[in-house]
Amino acid sequence: MTEATFIPKSYKNTLDHGSVSFKAPSNIALVKYWGKYGEQLPKNASISFTLSNCFTKTQLSFQKKEIQEFDFEVYLDGKREEGFEPKILKFFERVEVYLPFLKTYSFKIETSNSFPHSSGIASSASGMSALACCLVEMEKRMSKNLSTALEETKQKASFLARLGSGSACRSIEGDLIVWGAHEHIEGSSNLFGIKYPYVVHDNFKNYQDTILLVDKGEKQVSSTVGHNLMHEHPFAAQRFKQANDNLSKLIPILENGRLSEFIKIVEQEALSLHAMMLTSEPGFILMKPNTLEIINRIWTFRKETNSNVCFTLDAGANVHVLYPEGEKVSVLNFIKTELKPFCKNGEFIVDMTGSGAVPL
Ligand code: PMV
């Protein structure tokens, strides 16, 4: 399959005006994507859990118009958010070839997140996923074949979301999603995310993710800059190999449910991601002292209690505390008593794996 698969031939119906709405989740990577080439193509395969309580809701209203140029406004929580518009314009320019109707409508994009804007949780994955789902739904209404196969619809939404923000392509479906061609994962592609196609042990059902909000400020280094620093990175080739090898190692672990092995890989991935940041030229540090404090406390708790709790990190200071559903009571208790003091204003978000984007 190539990019050309996603270029539509013609539309049967014209829509004059209307609106579509979607709710799309955030996701947390177990094997990380960090480094890209071409148009948002990943240098290695990644896998993530789709989340349940961290999501974006987007309503896309459209009105047919004469003048052929991009025309849209973005609203966050009911207020015009011009700061988001350059990113959306770039997205529209990138996807226009796959959605040739874009310049023939005025759009109003109204969006809101379930998590606070200043939480340090990136809204780009859920936001781009929700917008891509809206656009694909709109296209579906214009298409000859109104009953476009669900699989095709999801693939196109993931393909488009990827062009907005790489990891957003893993936010269309749940709960375990692979993005990036991987020799041991059938159907995997650099173009879009797919549902993990193999057996998953019950230990990973409803896996818990409590997100500790360590630093709620703007990131000092954006992920676009971070990805670009992988181009000349001295350890890049080794890192891409490590990620693909870790994904290979996860396949039997996801099947047999061995949590101790799962933890080793997940934590190595988080630390490796940040090691890439530390050793970039110039280097940068997104972790904060409290990030390290929390990691050390998780390690001590695990040693002392034989818990299967572990952590992962995004491109930021927040800590995602991952644990099986069966340990919910004990780990939440540990978080409340020992980790909460290291969160900004004592804030954390209790989340778990979820099932993907849905129309509203
Ligand atoms: O989707 P981007 O370009 O914001 O990159 C996200 C990269 C990480 O969140 C750090 C890792 C990942 O695989 O989600």
Side-chain angles (χ1 to χ4, degrees):
M1 197 180 274
T2 65
E3 277 91 344
T5 317
F6 298 99
I7 301 176
K9 292 194 179 60
S10 63
Y11 297 124
K12 190 179 175 207
N13 312 311
T14 316
L15 301 176
D16 186 49
H17 65 277
S19 71
V20 281
S21 305
F22 266 84
K23 171 180 158 185
S26 186
N27 70 72
I28 180 69
L30 304 171
V31 171
K32 309 288 180 182
Y33 146 65
W34 197 243
K36 58 181 170 181
Y37 70 97
E39 258 204 332
Q40 302 270 100
L41 298 163
K43 286 291 234 171
N44 61 261
S46 57
I47 187 167
S48 56
F49 273 139
T50 306
L51 297 179
S52 187
N53 300 330
C54 290
F55 55 81
T56 298
K57 281 182 180 177
T58 296
Q59 173 167 303
L60 179 73
S61 310
F62 50 88
Q63 172 78 51
K64 191 104 176 104
K65 65 175 174 70
E66 293 303 322
I67 306 161
Q68 299 269 312
E69 62 188 29
F70 294 122
D71 177 6
F72 63 89
E73 287 181 351
V74 182
Y75 292 81
L76 176 67
D77 299 326
K79 270 208 220 114
R80 178 89 185 262
E81 184 52 84
E82 292 184 54
F84 285 2
E85 292 174 5
K87 194 163 182 181
I88 303 291
L89 178 62
K90 198 166 166 199
F91 172 63
F92 274 15
E93 285 167 351
R94 268 194 192 147
V95 299
E96 196 207 349
V97 58
Y98 308 107
L99 299 169
F101 59 86
L102 279 183
K103 280 187 175 161
T104 65
Y105 286 92
S106 299
F107 292 103
K108 186 175 182 191
I109 303 165
E110 291 168 280
T111 189
S112 62
N113 300 318
S114 65
F115 44 90
H117 181 51
S118 58
S119 61
I121 298 178
S123 59
S124 57
S126 51
M128 285 299 174
S129 163
L131 182 56
C133 288
C134 289
L135 290 166
V136 169
E137 175 60 28
M138 198 180 154
E139 177 174 61
K140 215 167 122 186
R141 292 185 194 175
M142 289 188 235
S143 296
K144 276 199 184 104
N145 184 359
L146 283 175
S147 59
T148 316
L150 190 60
E151 209 40 49
E152 268 174 52
T153 309
K154 284 182 179 164
Q155 237 171 41
K156 181 148 185 181
S158 176
F159 172 85
L160 295 174
R162 187 199 96 233
L163 291 166
S165 171
S167 59
C169 77
R170 298 187 313 239
S171 275
I172 306 292
E173 287 187 89
D175 51 357
L176 264 176
I177 303 294
V178 175
W179 170 40
H182 189 278
E183 59 171 338
H184 298 136
I185 301 185
E186 224 179 307
S188 58
S189 167
N190 282 349
L191 299 179
F192 47 80
I194 62 158
K195 246 178 120 75
Y196 178 72
Y198 305 126
V199 179
V200 179
H201 195 278
D202 275 353
N203 280 353
F204 300 106
K205 294 271 144 69
N206 300 327
Y207 219 71
Q208 304 291 302
D209 178 5
T210 299
I211 309 162
L212 308 183
L213 306 179
V214 171
D215 186 48
K216 311 204 302 175
E218 277 282 304
K219 275 192 271 183
Q220 296 116 323
V221 179
S222 71
S223 55
T224 308
V225 171
H227 284 292
N228 284 337
L229 288 171
M230 289 304 284
H231 289 313
E232 301 295 321
H233 200 291
F235 308 140
Q238 197 55 39
R239 164 61 201 150
F240 303 142
K241 183 178 180 313
Q242 179 190 48
N244 283 327
D245 289 350
N246 276 342
L247 191 42
S248 298
K249 287 183 198 161
L250 266 184
I251 297 170
I253 296 170
L254 287 172
E255 181 167 354
N256 63 33
R258 285 202 193 107
L259 293 171
S260 58
E261 291 171 31
F262 175 78
I263 288 167
K264 269 189 210 150
I265 289 176
V266 169
E267 292 189 347
Q268 182 186 64
E269 278 292 315
L271 295 176
S272 252
L273 168 71
H274 283 259
M276 290 303 107
M277 300 174 191
L278 295 172
T279 50
S280 290
E281 178 56 51
F284 59 102
I285 306 175
L286 297 183
M287 294 182 289
K288 296 282 178 200
N290 282 353
T291 311
L292 302 180
E293 195 61 56
I294 289 167
I295 291 173
N296 279 310
R297 281 173 191 255
I298 290 173
W299 281 343
T300 306
F301 178 78
R302 199 160 71 214
K303 220 171 176 177
E304 285 173 353
T305 65
N306 275 327
S307 162
N308 288 301
V309 67
C310 74
F311 71 87
T312 189
L313 306 167
D314 249 339
N318 293 339
V319 182
H320 289 247
V321 185
L322 302 178
Y323 48 101
E325 194 180 22
E327 292 191 29
K328 209 167 154 176
V329 173
S330 57
V331 175
L332 266 179
N333 190 38
F334 159 65
I335 289 171
K336 282 177 193 156
T337 53
E338 278 213 47
L339 304 184
K340 190 176 155 144
F342 301 103
C343 301
K344 262 245 155 81
N345 306 323
E347 279 183 79
F348 57 87
I349 297 172
V350 180
D351 210 339
M352 62 188 279
T353 57
S355 54
V358 286
L360 293 171

